[in-house]
Each structure stands twice: as C-alpha cells, then as structure tokens.
Amino acid sequence: MRMTSKANSDYPHQMTSKAILHISLSILMLFSALCAEPLYGRQFITDDDTTPGDSVTAPLDSVQGGLDTIPALPWPQSLQAALDTIVSKSSLLKTSQMGLYIYDLTADSAIYSRDSKQTLRPASTMKLITAITALDKLGGAYLYKTRLCYSGDVIDSLRTLNGNIYLIGGMDPMIGTDDIRAFISSIKELGVDTIRGNICADRSMKDTDLYGEGWCWDDDNPELSALVYHRKDALMQKFFNMLGDNGVVVIGSLDERRCPNGAFEICCQTHSIDQILNRMMKDSNNLFAESLFYQIGLTRGRPSTAKKAVAAEEEILKKMKMQDVPHRFADGSGLSLYNYVSAELEVAFLRYAYEDANIYTDLFSHLPIAGVDGTLEKRMRGTSAANNVRAKTGTLSGVSGLSGYCTAPNGHILAFAIINQGQQNNARAKALQDRICTVMCQ
C-alpha cells in the first residue's frame, strides 16, 4: 500500500510495520464487534426516531457478557453500548413494551432512543406535565385561597348576623380543622354568636364533575370538589358541625349558592403551590395533582374544567412545536386510562422546564430523590444513581414509569423518560428502570 496524500509526502512510500499492525487490529476489533451479537440485539436510531433538530448518535453494538465486559469507549458511546446490553438481555421486553428516551441537556442532543414515539399510558408520570404546566401558567408564588364572606347586617346588641355566610371553595386539598377554626374565629371576632341565615357553599370555582374522565370505578378515588375535605366533598358539613361545637348558633340550614357581589370577606385561608407540589410529587398524591390541574384550568376562565386545563397544556405543546405528536391528556394525576403520551413527549416537557430557570428550580426541588425520599426512597440504594436521580414514578396495573433528571459522570445533566407497559409484575419493570438509571450515573 502506498501513501498518496500530499500531506504525507515526507513519509516513506512503504508503510511501516507498526502502521500495518495498527490497521489490522482495528479491522479485527470491528469484525469481532459485528459478529458478537445477532442483528436483533442491536439498537439503531434512525432519523424517524428523533425530534426535529435533535442530534442523535447511533449507539455502538453491544457485546456478549455483562456490563463489565464492555471495552472502554468515549462518552456517550459507552452509555449507549451499556444500554444496548441491558435492553437486549431483558426478558421482560419479550412480552411487554417499553418507551425509552434520554436527552443530554448540557450538550443539547438526544443520546438514546428505543420506541420513544410509541404512545403509552403514563400513570403518575403524568404529574410531571401537570406540574410543569402549573409552574409555567401560575408561577411559583401562586396561592390556593378558600374565602369566608357574609352578606346582611351585624346587630351588635344581639351579637347576631342577619344574613348568610358563604364559604367559597378553591379546591384546596390541604384545608384542615385548623383552617376551619380560623373561619369560626373570624366570625366571633365580628361579635357574632348567632347567625339568622344559611351557611352557603360556593362551588363556582369548578364544574360539578366529582371524578376524572377514564377513572376506574372500583378505585378509591378522591372527590374533585371545590370544597374538598379529607378527599371527600365534605368541607361544608364539617364547617357547619364545628360552628355548633364552638358556640355559634345557626338559625338556618346548609345551602348552595354563589356569593353575591358586595359581600364582605372576613377570612381567607391560603396554602402555597410549593406545599401542594411537595405532596403531589414526593408522595404522588392524586388529589393534590387534580387540584393543581383545576387551578390551571382557571387561567382560561371560571368555572374550571378538565378541558380548559388540557387546553393550557396544549399551549405548551405548541410552544415546543410538538402539537402534532400523538398524545392524549385526560386528567392531572395519571389515574385516567385515557391518558396517552410517549417517552419523547415527556422528555420534551422536561427540556421545556430545564430551559426556564424559574420552572426548573421549583420542579427539581420537589422531585423524589433516589434512595432518599418520596416514592424513590427505597430504590437504587447503594448505587451510583442514589442521591443523583430525581424523577417522578408512575404505577398502574400493568404500567410502570420513571421520568426525570440525573447527572452523568462527565457532569452533563440528562433528562430521561422510561415507560413500561403490559408487564404483569411491576417490580421487574422497576428493576429494569433502576438499572438503566444506574448506568446513566456510573
């Protein structure tokens, strides 16, 4: 072989034995890698598997044996090869589906995809979309408000209110007995111990639907009331009962009507969006997620409805230019069997959040931490993913998901989504997800 390049004209025409040996070894290594695994075990990413504008590098062929047998490769090829090995050796995926998408936020490029466009049920990873939309539309300073007002006249000499009391619901799932005591104290501070009128429920904040579209009838579902108390539409009855227990006489009954213009506000109990997000994300509380979903709907006018909340989420899809990506949003918690998303779509929302410091800071602080707290407290302990992965879990019968962020060994921030569907044992799906996360972090 002769070197014909002008740039190498100073070298001898005959190649050295060292150069020939180097080329021979390279050819031998390439041939060995191609022969080590059948074609079906290799993962290829085509242009059709990427989001427009993404830069995806096809992972190198995986090799026989465990992860320890993979030769040293530069990152992200080393990660891609390890993921190929995990995926090709998973018996779970022979009988069930998995959508997997990993995006390098630091390098702004997709680095791994497996069926990432396939629409699957998100389960509680749907709460990510709810949280990100809420932080975008409402902001991190948003407050839930439950207001107490009255109409009529206070007769001081008789310590009597001739009029109605209105409790205006804000669908605050954190309302408890301390809040009710505050309402009663505010009535007494008016110098009133007798109400000659009705105690009225104002539920105008949202529609009358108590359950989400596509919820299973035999689940222990929370009731979606503007006056929710302990997961039920029970705040008014509790308030009415506690009035009597605390010495306030009501010469009237429970009623339901909208608070009139000109009524006087005497108390307003609030809770912050941070308080809601913490329970919603760390503990995967469905009622808290649905309450936030309906706060989103309020941005498009009263009464709030699921359709209005979904329309707000669709606005973000348009901002991301992903409105044509197949999907369906039905509720805020992921309880609905009508929700369908792809791993690619979930990562798009994670990317959207990452690009807005205000959204990302709030979201990141409330995600469960692997091996530390929330729904990830007992997962990935003793691995490189512990205290690194921050992600939302999702579990329904036959569905398991995990979506969030982690930091790779080179310091790059990764966004990922893993959705398993069709498995009969969610524990196996969680084990696969944990292994994928561990590889991303080691």
Side-chain angles (χ1 to χ4, degrees):
M1 182 182 297
R2 295 182 178 273
M3 303 295 290
T4 58
S5 170
K6 184 176 180 181
N8 291 304
S9 58
D10 293 336
Y11 288 86
H13 292 296
Q14 186 68 32
M15 291 185 65
T16 66
S17 59
K18 183 177 180 180
I20 294 173
L21 177 61
H22 178 75
I23 293 172
S24 299
L25 286 173
S26 299
I27 294 173
L28 180 60
M29 288 177 65
L30 177 61
F31 179 77
S32 298
L34 291 173
C35 295
E37 184 180 53
L39 183 61
Y40 62 78
R42 294 156 60 196
Q43 170 71 17
F44 293 94
I45 302 178
T46 65
D47 290 340
D48 188 54
D49 289 325
T50 66
T51 303
D54 288 345
S55 174
V56 180
T57 304
L60 300 182
D61 298 341
S62 59
V63 297
Q64 299 283 0
L67 298 181
D68 293 340
T69 66
I70 297 175
L73 296 170
W75 198 90
Q77 286 84 356
S78 57
L79 171 60
Q80 293 161 346
L83 290 171
D84 278 345
T85 299
I86 292 172
V87 169
S88 66
K89 292 183 176 297
S90 173
S91 59
L92 179 69
L93 301 184
K94 294 179 181 178
T95 56
S96 63
Q97 303 162 279
M98 181 176 74
L100 170 61
Y101 196 59
I102 303 172
Y103 196 91
D104 185 334
L105 295 165
T106 304
D108 194 20
S109 63
I111 57 176
Y112 200 85
S113 173
R114 175 192 167 87
D115 294 332
S116 62
K117 294 181 181 294
Q118 188 164 247
T119 52
L120 303 166
R121 288 174 176 149
S124 281
T125 62
M126 188 71 195
K127 292 181 175 72
L128 275 173
I129 294 173
T130 303
I132 292 167
T133 304
L135 288 168
D136 182 73
K137 298 294 183 181
L138 304 173
Y142 183 80
L143 293 176
Y144 280 64
K145 296 179 180 180
T146 306
R147 299 163 55 218
L148 189 72
C149 300
Y150 77 91
S151 62
D153 300 310
V154 175
I155 304 174
D156 293 334
S157 61
L158 299 177
R159 298 181 60 83
T160 298
L161 168 65
N162 282 339
N164 295 328
I165 291 286
Y166 298 88
L167 191 57
I168 306 170
M171 202 180 177
D172 185 347
M174 296 193 70
I175 287 290
T177 54
D178 287 345
D179 298 288
I180 298 174
R181 289 191 186 99
F183 292 141
I184 296 171
S185 293
S186 69
I187 293 173
K188 288 185 173 183
E189 287 170 6
L190 287 174
V192 168
D193 60 18
T194 302
I195 299 170
R196 291 184 176 274
N198 295 330
I199 309 301
C200 303
D202 184 337
R203 294 184 171 90
S204 61
M205 172 261 183
K206 69 174 293 293
D207 59 19
T208 58
D209 294 339
L210 288 182
Y211 300 104
E213 181 188 22
W215 286 13
C216 291
W217 66 270
D218 57 347
D219 279 348
D220 180 22
N221 297 314
E223 293 181 349
L224 307 182
S225 167
L227 290 165
V228 66
Y229 177 76
H230 287 193
R231 305 180 76 249
K232 301 295 181 183
D233 181 22
L235 181 57
M236 285 305 298
Q237 188 64 58
K238 183 68 175 177
F239 176 51
F240 189 83
N241 293 343
M242 285 184 65
L243 281 169
D245 295 340
N246 286 271
V248 179
V249 177
V250 179
I251 305 174
S253 60
L254 282 174
D255 194 5
E256 183 163 346
R257 65 178 69 181
R258 190 162 186 170
C259 183
N261 293 331
F264 300 95
E265 181 177 300
I266 54 175
C267 187
C268 181
Q269 291 298 103
T270 65
H271 291 104
S272 70
I273 192 173
D274 273 340
Q275 291 173 290
I276 302 298
L277 282 170
N278 202 59
R279 289 279 301 279
M280 167 183 162
M281 304 301 278
K282 295 285 190 183
D283 301 334
S284 200
N285 188 294
N286 293 321
L287 174 58
F288 281 55
E290 293 300 332
S291 75
L292 194 56
F293 186 62
Y294 278 90
Q295 307 302 312
I296 294 168
L298 277 179
T299 64
R300 301 180 68 86
R302 299 170 76 94
S304 180
T305 66
K307 287 184 178 180
K308 288 179 181 178
V310 168
E313 293 172 335
E314 297 286 349
E315 288 177 357
I316 294 183
L317 284 179
K318 289 180 182 178
K319 286 184 183 179
M320 299 187 297
K321 302 187 185 304
M322 295 192 71
Q323 65 271 22
D324 295 328
V325 172
H327 69 282
R328 185 179 179 192
F329 301 153
D331 69 5
S333 63
L335 281 174
S336 177
L337 298 181
Y338 298 162
N339 290 312
Y340 278 95
V341 304
S342 62
E344 177 189 59
L345 188 64
E346 287 196 337
V347 168
F349 271 90
L350 291 168
R351 290 174 60 192
Y352 182 85
Y354 181 77
E355 290 165 4
D356 186 318
N358 292 324
I359 296 176
Y360 181 69
T361 300
D362 278 331
L363 178 69
F364 191 77
S365 67
H366 294 299
L367 287 171
I369 306 171
V372 176
D373 65 13
T375 53
L376 287 179
E377 181 180 1
K378 297 181 180 179
R379 293 176 60 176
M380 296 175 246
R381 287 180 174 177
T383 73
S384 56
N387 207 26
N388 183 336
V389 167
R390 296 195 180 216
K392 183 70 200 73
T393 57
T395 305
L396 285 173
S397 179
V399 180
S400 180
L402 187 66
S403 301
Y405 303 100
C406 67
T407 302
N410 63 353
H412 285 207
I413 307 298
L414 309 182
F416 67 91
I418 312 166
I419 306 175
N420 293 95
Q421 181 173 288
Q423 68 280 355
Q424 295 182 346
N425 185 339
N426 277 340
R428 294 181 64 201
K430 291 176 181 178
L432 177 60
Q433 295 159 14
D434 291 356
R435 195 171 185 211
I436 289 171
C437 286
T438 299
V439 167
M440 285 193 289
C441 297
Q442 74 183 16

